Amino acid sequence: AEKAESSAQQVQQGIDNLREQQRWRSLTKDQRSMLVSELSRFAGTQITMLFMVSGGDETQHYAEQIADVLKDAGWKVGMNAGYYTGVPRYDLTVAVNDQKHPHAGTMLLSTLQEAKLPDVQGEARADLSEDSIELIVRPKPPSQN
């Protein structure tokens, strides 16, 4: 009986892990409110959203949710699909010029982190112009089990 119960628990854990992996990311009402409130001070800021197509519809949907929040805060948002061929990454990345960039880019990074969006990273890139801000939305990480 113990063996059967242990097996049943393992199967249930596997089902729970699969359900979690299939669940789409979404912003909570509190996260939305906080982001709009904090980022509306930078209304008019232009940003390019880049979602990785390798994440499928889930990644695009998550990027669109974030874009809607930025638009509600008065930001001008461009949306593009992208490909990434390096080592797999699963973060949400705010990319700006490595030497000089808009203060709004720094505030976007800290506000996304403060709102507790998962795995928000900053990236400094010399290839971006001084006034560019990119927000790169990558796929969810694969299940660990």
Side-chain angles (χ1 to χ4, degrees):
E2 283 181 32
K3 213 175 199 182
E5 186 168 330
S6 176
S7 292
Q9 287 176 348
Q10 287 176 344
V11 167
Q12 185 60 50
Q13 182 64 43
I15 291 169
D16 292 345
N17 289 343
L18 183 59
R19 282 186 180 142
E20 180 58 33
Q21 185 60 33
Q22 296 301 315
R23 183 174 295 131
W24 284 16
R25 293 172 285 182
S26 63
L27 300 176
T28 67
K29 186 177 180 179
D30 288 343
Q31 286 172 321
R32 287 174 183 271
S33 295
M34 186 255 201
L35 290 167
V36 169
S37 174
E38 293 295 317
L39 296 174
S40 62
R41 296 183 292 155
F42 302 97
T45 299
Q46 285 199 270
I47 185 167
T48 301
M49 299 278 301
L50 186 63
F51 64 91
M52 297 296 118
V53 296
S54 59
D57 291 341
E58 188 278 337
T59 300
Q60 181 176 354
H61 178 74
Y62 190 49
E64 288 169 350
Q65 284 186 49
I66 296 169
D68 287 345
V69 167
L70 292 172
K71 288 174 187 175
D72 288 348
W75 290 43
K76 297 174 184 172
V77 181
M79 181 80 81
N80 294 307
Y83 296 91
Y84 181 74
T85 58
V87 175
R89 291 178 62 178
Y90 306 104
D91 51 79
L92 181 65
T93 305
V94 177
V96 294
N97 182 278
D98 64 341
Q99 296 296 312
K100 186 173 169 112
H101 55 269
H103 181 61
T106 303
M107 293 310 297
L108 175 62
L109 174 63
S110 64
T111 304
L112 291 170
Q113 290 172 332
E114 189 178 327
K116 298 190 181 344
L117 272 68
D119 202 12
V120 177
Q121 303 293 321
E123 186 172 279
R125 295 197 348 232
D127 65 311
L128 293 176
S129 67
E130 292 180 1
D131 60 344
S132 291
I133 303 172
E134 283 186 0
L135 184 58
I136 305 163
V137 181
R138 294 188 170 87
K140 285 177 64 173
S143 175
Q144 300 301 312
N145 293 331

